[in-house]
Amino acid sequence: MIRIEGVTKRYPNGHRGLTDVSLTVHRGEFVFLVGPSGAGKSTLIRLLYGEERPTSGEVTIDHFRLTTMRMRQLPKLRRQLGIVFQDVKLLPTRNVFQNVAFAMEVVGASRKEIQKRVPQVLELVGLSRRRDHLPSQLSGGEQQRVGIARALVNQPTYVLADEPTGNLDPDTASDIMRLFLEINRRGATVVMATHARELVNQLQKRVIAIEAGRIVRDEAKGVYGYES
Ligand code: ADP
Ligand code: ADP
């Protein structure tokens, strides 16, 4: 379970990222974070994976209390999290298989585990036939699939995504969104910041709207609710 209680994030330059935000996300939920640019969506996601710490308030993920956690605990938390960004940042000289394998190598997985698990996750994201390709040989949608495979390969409990379809055309975005639904169906809790208005409106998932650092709406089967 993710619990955010009375969280305010003020940046060193005085910008307010979030003001007095509280929310709970239970295991197995699929949550969209929506709101205008600068609302605080990325700040919220960065607080969840420990990239930023709150100025005040509590952030808890399962038994990890992020506010008081020591830096050396962070890798343990991150192992429970799969993180997907708009800008995928693959290793340019490594092929698809190696890019995904790398995420397992850094957590100390054995060669045998890697050879078993990477093909499974490439199958899930539909990239089995691209395993020997370099990132530069892939379309934008395929690159994002590699990013998703990399996020999933260590079987995280929570998948956090910050505008994962932001660089993609509508059809590709729709395919990628379907992939997140499948990941959620298989048991991962998904929290996604997005501007994909039509997809949010179609999918009838929980929608949390943030404006100027505050939650202004939280609906079980919500809509996007903004014009752009
Ligand atoms: P969103 O993801 O909804 O576009 P952000 O979380 O990126 O919103 O930004 C929320 C507010 O925090 C904005 O006013 C933004 O300028 C500010 N902000 C975000 N990141 C930083 C940072 N690293 N340093 C200073 N201010 C920041
Ligand atoms: P190294 O840095 O030791 O060369 P790599 O990161 O290149 O390791 O590769 C990691 C693992 O992935 C190695 O076991 C390598 O043999 C394996 N590998 C790389 N590409 C493929 C592929 N297309 N199919 C199966 N295994 C692969």
Side-chain angles (χ1 to χ4, degrees), residues 1-4 47-50 59-66 77 80-81 157-158 160:
M1 180 168 93
I2 296 172
R3 287 193 68 167
I4 298 178
L47 287 167
L48 291 178
Y49 66 89
V59 179
T60 316
I61 299 183
D62 294 342
H63 62 284
F64 295 97
R65 289 182 59 195
L66 278 80
L77 166 69
Q80 305 299 316
L81 308 178
T157 314
Y158 300 94
L160 309 176

Side-chain angles (χ1 to χ4, degrees), residues 17-226:
L18 293 173
T19 304
D20 194 21
V21 164
S22 298
L23 71 97
T24 300
V25 178
H26 292 282
R27 289 265 188 119
E29 280 197 87
F30 191 116
V31 181
F32 287 121
L33 301 177
V34 305
S37 288
K41 305 181 294 295
S42 299
T43 299
L44 180 52
I45 293 207
R46 289 200 298 267
L47 287 167
L48 291 178
Y49 66 89
E51 187 68 20
E52 299 284 355
R53 294 205 177 208
T55 309
S56 59
E58 291 282 347
V59 179
T60 316
I61 299 183
D62 294 342
H63 62 284
F64 295 97
R65 289 182 59 195
L66 278 80
T67 319
T68 53
M69 198 171 71
R70 293 180 190 283
M71 281 306 282
R72 62 184 155 78
Q73 289 271 76
L74 201 54
K76 257 195 189 160
L77 166 69
R78 296 247 173 111
R79 242 163 263 184
Q80 305 299 316
L81 308 178
I83 309 167
V84 180
F85 301 98
Q86 175 171 352
D87 174 14
V88 188
K89 290 206 179 99
L90 300 173
L91 302 167
T93 62
R94 303 295 181 96
N95 67 29
V96 167
F97 187 101
Q98 291 164 330
N99 265 279
V100 178
F102 184 69
M104 292 187 75
E105 289 166 5
V106 299
V107 301
S110 69
R111 174 177 283 263
K112 194 172 158 201
E113 289 170 312
I114 291 172
Q115 291 297 338
K116 178 160 183 274
R117 176 66 184 155
V118 175
Q120 289 174 350
V121 74
L122 290 180
E123 176 74 31
L124 170 64
V125 303
L127 283 181
S128 297
R129 300 208 320 253
R130 295 274 186 268
R131 59 195 275 166
D132 296 317
H133 286 57
L134 292 172
S136 59
Q137 298 171 307
L138 302 175
S139 69
E142 288 171 333
Q143 290 183 29
Q144 189 53 284
R145 286 171 190 275
V146 180
I148 294 168
R150 185 177 59 186
L152 292 181
V153 75
N154 294 318
Q155 317 215 48
T157 314
Y158 300 94
V159 175
L160 309 176
D162 196 349
E163 289 203 46
T165 64
N167 287 330
L168 305 175
D169 65 74
D171 284 348
T172 308
S174 169
D175 290 345
I176 293 292
M177 195 64 90
R178 258 197 289 278
L179 186 51
F180 279 98
L181 291 176
E182 176 61 18
I183 291 162
N184 176 244
R185 205 185 57 75
R186 292 177 181 222
T189 306
V190 176
V191 178
M192 180 191 298
T194 186
H195 287 287
R197 178 165 57 99
E198 283 172 22
L199 292 170
V200 171
N201 288 341
Q202 266 170 33
L203 293 174
Q204 309 233 311
K205 296 295 186 185
R206 180 175 174 191
V207 175
I208 298 174
I210 304 180
E211 289 176 23
R214 294 178 188 272
I215 293 179
V216 295
R217 176 157 60 88
D218 184 347
E219 292 168 342
K221 289 188 179 178
V223 294
Y224 186 79
Y226 298 95

